[in-house]
């Protein structure tokens, strides 16, 4: 598996992942021109793009990617919010509210699962090869984990803020309570990440990528040390 970070955080999220026989883009929250450049103008190498939700820092280039002939996967709610349609749009078939059938792409099985974010129909992704040799979990923009993190070889997960940092910023008047509440209701804190990791089976996990850190409310060193010491797994802060 090979992961390349094209962008992370509120200025735009986009990750290129080679897994199994496929090359995916996870999110496309950068201008299309920037994505093209970062991919050395080889956009056609991408088999598909998976989008978690409609916020522009995750979906900015979706229309351009479709025009360029890339299949884009998302929930129906996300597609409607983005106003996209056409044969390059692939939506996940729900079998009940916020529960979906998986999709097959080359040798991959792609399973979306519900995220907790104030948008139409947000999801996270569990992606694995059919032979179970490679697996990846991608979680971002969620207040907490509704489900146990699936066993995987590589975990890419949001760590947006540190609660004490956020509270300190409120106390100092750097951010107001409204904004604080919005962050807490929509994003994953270091503290919630720790709780989620306690419940997960990480015996197969070789690497953890931490994503979408907030500039003012996080602490890169503390985050990295906390997760590395807790899990004993190599941690990369993006
Ligand atoms: Zn968002
Ligand atoms: Zn975001």
């Amino acid at each position: 598996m090979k992961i390349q970070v094209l962008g992370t955080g509120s200025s735009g999220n986009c990750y290129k992942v080679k897994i199994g026989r496929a090359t995916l883009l996870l999110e496309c929250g950068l201008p299309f021109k920037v994505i093209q450049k970062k991919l050395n103008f080889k956009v056609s190498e991408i088999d598909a793009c998976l989008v978690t939700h409609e916020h522009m820092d995750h979906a900015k280039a979706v229309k351009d990617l479709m025009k360029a002939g890339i299949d884009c996967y998302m929930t129906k709610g996300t597609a409607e919010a983005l106003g996209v349609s056409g044969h390059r749009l692939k939506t996940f078939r729900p079998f009940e509210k916020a529960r979906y059938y998986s999709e097959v792409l080359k040798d991959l099985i792609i399973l979306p699962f519900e995220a907790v974010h104030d948008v139409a129909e947000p999801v996270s992704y569990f992606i694995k090869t059919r032979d179970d040799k490679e697996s990846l979990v991608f979680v971002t923009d969620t207040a907490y984990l509704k489900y146990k993190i699936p066993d995987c070889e590589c975990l890419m997960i949001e760590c947006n803020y540190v609660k004490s940092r956020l509270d300190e910023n409120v106390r100092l008047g750097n951010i107001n309570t409204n904004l604080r509440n919005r962050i807490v209701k929509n994003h994953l804190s270091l503290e919630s990440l720790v709780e989620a990791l306690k419940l997960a089976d990480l015996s197969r996990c070789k690497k953890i990528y931490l994503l979408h850190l907030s500039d003012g409310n996080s602490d890169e060193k503390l985050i990295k040390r906390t997760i590395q010491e807790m899990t004993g797994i190599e941690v990369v802060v993006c």
Side-chain angles (χ1 to χ4, degrees), residues 9-10 13 53 55 57-58 117 140-141 158 187 212:
S10 51
N13 297 274
H53 67 292
H55 282 156
D57 61 320
H58 297 259
H117 200 55
T140 188
D141 292 52
E158 170 178 37
H187 289 285
H212 214 305

Side-chain angles (χ1 to χ4, degrees), residues 4 59 67-69 127 145 168 170 182 188-189 200 208 222 232:
Q4 183 192 343
K67 261 189 237 159
I127 305 158
L145 273 292
E168 177 76 354
V170 175
R182 226 172 43 229
L188 198 67
S189 65
I208 300 175
L222 171 73

Side-chain angles (χ1 to χ4, degrees), residues 162-229:
V162 178
K163 202 175 163 294
S164 56
R165 270 298 158 98
L166 184 64
D167 291 340
E168 177 76 354
N169 278 330
V170 175
R171 206 180 56 79
L172 293 170
N174 294 337
I175 62 170
N176 62 38
T177 333
N178 271 347
L179 179 57
R180 179 206 176 266
N181 293 345
R182 226 172 43 229
I183 292 169
V184 169
K185 272 190 200 155
N186 284 290
H187 289 285
L188 198 67
S189 65
L190 172 64
E191 293 77 2
S192 302
L193 172 59
V194 166
E195 288 312 306
L197 290 174
K198 275 184 199 162
L199 301 173
D201 175 0
L202 297 171
S203 54
R204 281 209 298 167
C205 187
K206 292 193 193 115
K207 209 160 173 177
I208 300 175
Y209 290 81
L210 300 177
L211 322 171
H212 214 305
L213 269 73
S214 138
D215 289 336
N217 303 315
S218 61
D219 180 335
E220 192 178 323
K221 275 189 191 146
L222 171 73
I223 286 172
K224 183 170 181 167
R225 195 177 63 231
T226 305
I227 301 303
Q228 208 154 286
E229 277 173 10

